[in-house]
Amino acid sequence: MKRFLAELADDFVSLIYPHYCDGCQSALVKGEDILCTQCLSDLPRTDMHLDANNTLMTRMGGRIPIVAAAAFLRFRKKGKVQRLLHALKYRNRPEIGFRLGYVYGCDLASSGFSNNFDVIVPVPLHAARLRTRGYNQAEEWGRGLAESTGIPLDSGIIRRLRNTKTQTNRNRIDRWENVSEVFAVVDAQRVQGKSVLLVDDVVTTGATLEACGQVLLNAGCSRLGIACIAVAQ
Ligand SMILES: [Zn+2]
């Protein structure tokens, strides 16, 4: 009865304050969350988790010893994915990250990609940026992945020591120098011998993942994998 009343109250609230799809702005129906069924099925998925030698694996694997890499979506300028990620990052919509993580985590679990990972670690924000934004979008994505894969999330393993400046106009070497001393592992015991799935929002140059992954490996993590929301192609 209690549950029935709660559901009734829920239905009533959504009748007065309907939720809208973040992809197409149509009203969401019961059971839909953030994205309508159509937008969810139209997302430009990479299906990288099904291909052990995918392009992200090739790109990152040459720079850092990883066992697996995948990005959920293809990122194009002015596309739906860019709008979603922009809202996640700049418009106070952490629930978009959680929802995408939950959806992709189901794919990762059913394909076996997420097997054998002990812990999910999000790329951290600098404390100052975390204060102004109120949340870490990579952590929200990680929480969604954790929920559907059953792998625990540990968002306190790595600390970001510096707030990196915009890197758009620098060449790759400069970027690498810029990020190589940006991260530190807080407690190596939480990483030692662990198989870590490092997660972030968008992969552009890959320099951040490389730097973050390297400090995890230096701290004794035994296997490293990468899972991101989107990859710029
Ligand atoms: Zn939609």
Side-chain angles (χ1 to χ4, degrees):
M1 186 64 184
K2 219 169 168 182
R3 191 165 157 200
F4 171 75
L5 286 175
E7 278 193 21
L8 197 69
D10 243 22
D11 289 349
F12 187 65
V13 168
S14 59
L15 204 64
I16 306 172
Y17 305 106
H19 293 287
Y20 294 99
C21 171
D22 278 289
C24 69
Q25 315 310 319
S26 66
L28 294 176
V29 300
K30 201 171 176 178
E32 292 178 340
D33 183 17
I34 308 290
L35 290 168
C36 72
T37 308
Q38 188 64 50
C39 283
L40 202 57
S41 79
D42 286 349
L43 284 174
R45 291 161 200 253
T46 69
D47 284 333
M48 279 179 177
H49 59 289
L50 302 175
D51 175 10
N53 300 311
N54 65 64
T55 51
L56 185 62
M57 185 63 194
T58 316
R59 226 167 90 190
M60 295 305 299
R63 293 156 64 176
I64 186 169
I66 49 173
V67 296
F72 183 23
L73 305 170
R74 279 189 304 276
F75 178 91
R76 286 200 202 91
K77 285 207 164 130
K78 293 179 180 164
K80 205 172 264 188
V81 174
Q82 187 187 25
R83 287 205 309 277
L84 280 170
L85 290 172
H86 188 270
L88 165 64
K89 214 162 159 177
Y90 302 111
R91 306 190 70 178
N92 197 26
R93 300 291 312 283
E95 65 275 18
I96 291 175
F98 182 87
R99 179 69 179 140
L100 293 175
Y102 186 86
V103 171
Y104 198 43
C106 294
D107 291 356
L108 296 187
S110 65
S111 66
F113 180 99
S114 60
N115 288 358
N116 306 318
F117 284 108
D118 302 315
V119 62
I120 293 174
V121 174
V123 170
L125 286 184
H126 186 265
R129 191 166 294 174
L130 184 62
R131 268 197 303 278
T132 49
R133 189 169 295 160
Y135 58 92
N136 172 3
Q137 70 281 358
E139 183 178 341
E140 297 305 316
W141 156 250
R143 285 199 316 113
L145 289 168
E147 180 82 17
S148 53
T149 59
I151 304 168
L153 174 93
D154 190 339
S155 55
I157 290 180
I158 311 173
R159 206 156 64 89
R160 197 171 194 129
L161 306 172
R162 265 177 248 176
N163 230 341
T164 40
K165 296 216 170 67
T166 176
Q167 303 177 331
T168 333
N169 296 317
R170 301 186 185 185
N171 67 37
R172 203 184 131 191
I173 305 292
D174 280 347
R175 276 188 215 118
W176 168 240
E177 284 171 353
N178 192 5
V179 292
S180 64
E181 289 178 357
V182 172
F183 300 105
V185 166
V186 174
D187 180 4
Q189 280 198 336
R190 274 147 75 182
V191 179
Q192 270 162 18
K194 294 268 173 71
S195 181
V196 177
L197 185 61
L198 179 64
V199 305
D200 201 4
D201 52 357
V202 190
V203 195
T204 47
T205 65
T208 305
L209 286 166
E210 185 179 352
C212 226
Q214 198 58 60
V215 299
L216 286 166
L217 290 166
N218 292 349
C221 123
S222 63
R223 286 167 85 246
L224 184 69
I226 289 170
C228 297
I229 303 180
V231 64
Q233 283 181 320

